[in-house]
Amino acid sequence: MRRTDRAVKTDAGAADAAPRAWTEAEFAALRQSMAAMLREARAMGLSGWELRPVADPDVTAGRRAARIRQRRSDRDALFSHPELFGEPAWDMLLHLFALHERGLCSTVGDAIMAARVPVDVGAEHLVRLERRGLVDRIAGIGGDRLALGAGAAKTMRRFLDESSL
């Protein structure tokens, strides 16, 4: 459900006017206004808890997962030492969630490549994720496939919906 389906607005000055749905243009204007206020607040030196980022309602959780993976990859390339920042299990979960959102599964090899670690290290992380019920292994003719566990998908969505990336 989109925000415009839930939000209502009452026209100012109308004593007993019925609430109406906000238009996309009104939401766009509100977002621009809020962005301007945020820039002003930052210019005044406000930061931290006073300016908690809010997720963009037009970006899906799957796209946020892909953005996080891309930003991590960019960071690794920038510092030229990706081994300093490794979180293989998290990278695998982001990879699997992005696929889950598109109704797809991953090969074991692709999940390990997404984690940017050697095969033996990636396999160890996959076993840990499976034992905790975060990843499901599905036997197939062309090899095993991996899917995000139902509980993990719900948790990832909640986390990514609260993310500002």
Side-chain angles (χ1 to χ4, degrees):
M1 180 183 298
R2 294 190 52 109
R3 285 178 79 169
T4 54
D5 295 336
R6 294 185 305 221
V8 293
K9 177 181 177 181
T10 303
D11 290 322
D16 46 305
R20 64 177 179 80
W22 285 56
T23 66
E24 288 294 329
E26 288 171 324
F27 267 120
L30 180 61
R31 277 194 294 269
Q32 287 177 342
S33 176
M34 292 176 76
M37 287 189 294
L38 181 61
R39 284 191 298 275
E40 289 177 27
R42 285 191 174 136
M44 292 187 300
L46 297 176
S47 62
W49 64 269
E50 304 109 26
L51 299 176
R52 183 174 182 271
V54 176
D56 182 346
D58 295 329
V59 178
T60 65
R63 286 191 53 202
R64 279 192 199 91
R67 280 185 185 175
I68 291 170
R69 287 189 62 227
Q70 183 60 52
R71 294 298 296 153
R72 291 169 62 80
S73 180
D74 293 347
R75 176 201 61 200
D76 292 351
L78 182 66
F79 283 96
S80 303
H81 297 285
E83 72 279 0
L84 294 175
F85 306 108
E87 289 182 274
W90 181 240
D91 289 330
M92 289 177 186
L93 289 174
L94 288 169
H95 168 73
L96 292 170
F97 182 79
L99 291 174
H100 170 83
E101 289 293 285
R102 295 177 14 219
L104 302 172
C105 294
S106 176
T107 64
V108 172
D110 284 347
I112 291 172
M113 283 181 19
R116 300 178 313 270
V117 293
V119 174
D120 58 331
V121 173
E124 290 174 22
H125 283 282
L126 279 175
V127 168
R128 288 185 195 130
L129 291 169
E130 285 180 81
R131 285 184 183 150
R132 288 170 175 78
L134 299 172
V135 172
D136 296 329
R137 189 178 294 252
I138 305 160
I141 295 171
D144 289 351
R145 296 280 182 187
L146 300 173
L148 203 57
K154 191 184 259 186
T155 302
M156 291 290 291
R157 183 178 327 287
R158 188 175 71 225
F159 174 81
L160 292 164
D161 282 345
E162 294 172 3
S163 172
S164 63
L165 288 175

